[in-house]
Amino acid sequence: MITVKSLHKKFGDVDVLKGIDLEVEKGKVVVVIGPSGSGKTTFLRCLNLLETPSSGEIVIDNVHANFSIKTTKQVTDEVRRKSAMVFQHYNLFPHMTVLENVMEGPVSVQKFPKDKAKESALLLLKKVGLSDKANDYPHQLSGGQQQRVGIARALALQPELLLFDEPTSALDPELVGEVLQVMKDLAKEGMTMIVVTHEMRFAQDVADEVIFMDEGIVIERGNPQEVFTNPTEARTKKFLNLIQQ
């Protein structure tokens, strides 16, 4: 469903991504791990075209974007429509209710009728366990609740691919579980997901493939059992030893 070929991203003279290749089948969960500054978030932002790659190709569900040549706005828009992103810091609109936050994308971007968008949003809030918070504002919610609203908002766009950028790293430890449970439920339902996270237990339990990135390249990849219990690369071993201490 997703193919990434030789993806590069430069910021000025700095190479942040140095040729990433990836294939993800429909319904699979890929977890990306690695130290801070390794390019993980930039990689996600390139997949969603929040950042424009310097070169390389992205194919999502038969929409092909080649960044080694100038891409058209139509292709860019089609790639963006295929995926949705859940951010580390929620990024909810503070002046909107929970329900309005979830409705905003379908109404403003996809031009859905408001009644249809509202019906869908209420179902999604039920899905993430927040039906009773529909009329609350973000400041009235815990961090875990806000992040679950963020997941509902991303799902409202009906994406083929969900991207998660360290969705639990800004949460107090006791709130992490409620967000991870929603993500586990989505995985069971067959949602295609690429997840950047430091939650190694989640990676071991849910991932179909784990990718270890460092300094803008993929150092190692494999199923969770292989990567976590028998990594082949010294840099992977060093990283896992540090985080498991």
Side-chain angles (χ1 to χ4, degrees):
M1 178 190 164
I2 303 151
T3 302
V4 179
K5 294 181 181 177
S6 193
L7 197 71
H8 289 255
K9 177 61 181 176
K10 281 188 174 185
F11 292 103
D13 294 329
V14 180
D15 283 318
V16 179
L17 299 180
K18 303 172 185 175
I20 304 294
D21 295 296
L22 178 68
E23 289 191 351
V24 184
E25 295 178 22
K26 188 175 179 63
K28 299 297 185 182
V29 179
V30 174
V31 171
V32 184
I33 63 173
S36 297
S38 59
K40 307 183 300 296
T41 291
T42 299
F43 176 54
L44 280 194
R45 291 176 66 86
C46 283
L47 291 179
N48 195 235
L49 299 193
L50 293 170
E51 300 284 356
T52 302
S54 302
S55 62
E57 300 174 56
I58 296 174
V59 183
I60 300 181
D61 200 24
N62 299 321
V63 177
H64 186 180
N66 183 350
F67 300 99
S68 300
I69 57 176
K70 188 170 177 60
T71 55
T72 65
K73 184 178 184 301
Q74 179 184 355
V75 168
T76 298
D77 289 346
E78 286 181 10
V79 171
R80 284 180 175 149
R81 277 197 292 269
K82 294 291 182 181
S83 63
M85 195 155 172
V86 178
F87 299 91
Q88 180 177 345
H89 292 291
Y90 330 133
N91 290 8
L92 302 180
F93 296 112
H95 62 288
M96 293 183 178
T97 66
V98 165
L99 180 61
E100 290 166 343
N101 264 281
V102 179
M103 290 173 58
E104 178 65 14
V107 171
S108 296
V109 179
Q110 298 175 327
K111 309 304 179 187
F112 276 36
K114 277 194 172 182
D115 57 344
K116 184 178 179 183
K118 181 178 181 180
E119 182 181 350
S120 174
L122 288 170
L123 287 173
L124 288 170
L125 288 174
K126 182 178 180 181
K127 186 185 191 75
V128 299
L130 292 172
S131 295
D132 59 330
K133 302 294 184 182
N135 296 315
D136 287 5
Y137 286 86
H139 71 87
Q140 297 174 287
L141 306 181
S142 71
Q145 290 169 332
Q146 289 188 60
Q147 192 58 289
R148 285 187 279 153
V149 175
I151 295 173
R153 181 182 57 181
L155 290 170
L157 296 170
Q158 300 179 353
E160 301 288 330
L161 168 67
L162 260 187
L163 305 169
F164 290 86
D165 183 19
E166 300 194 11
T168 60
S169 64
L171 299 178
D172 292 332
E174 68 268 21
L175 301 176
V176 169
E178 64 191 61
V179 174
L180 293 181
Q181 188 57 55
V182 171
M183 295 169 65
K184 288 177 182 178
D185 292 343
L186 290 172
K188 288 176 185 173
E189 293 168 12
M191 172 61 71
T192 310
M193 302 194 294
I194 299 177
V195 183
V196 170
T197 186
H198 292 297
E199 298 290 340
M200 297 302 147
R201 176 59 62 187
F202 173 84
Q204 290 170 312
D205 291 347
V206 179
D208 296 291
E209 182 177 32
V210 174
I211 290 175
F212 173 65
M213 280 182 66
D214 193 15
E215 297 183 358
I217 60 175
V218 173
I219 303 295
E220 187 158 358
R221 60 176 40 148
N223 66 52
Q225 179 75 9
E226 292 170 344
V227 173
F228 286 112
T229 63
N230 193 29
T232 58
E233 299 294 328
R235 285 157 83 181
T236 314
K237 292 176 184 176
K238 181 179 178 182
F239 173 76
L240 292 174
N241 285 338
L242 284 171
I243 63 169
Q244 290 169 356
Q245 286 177 356

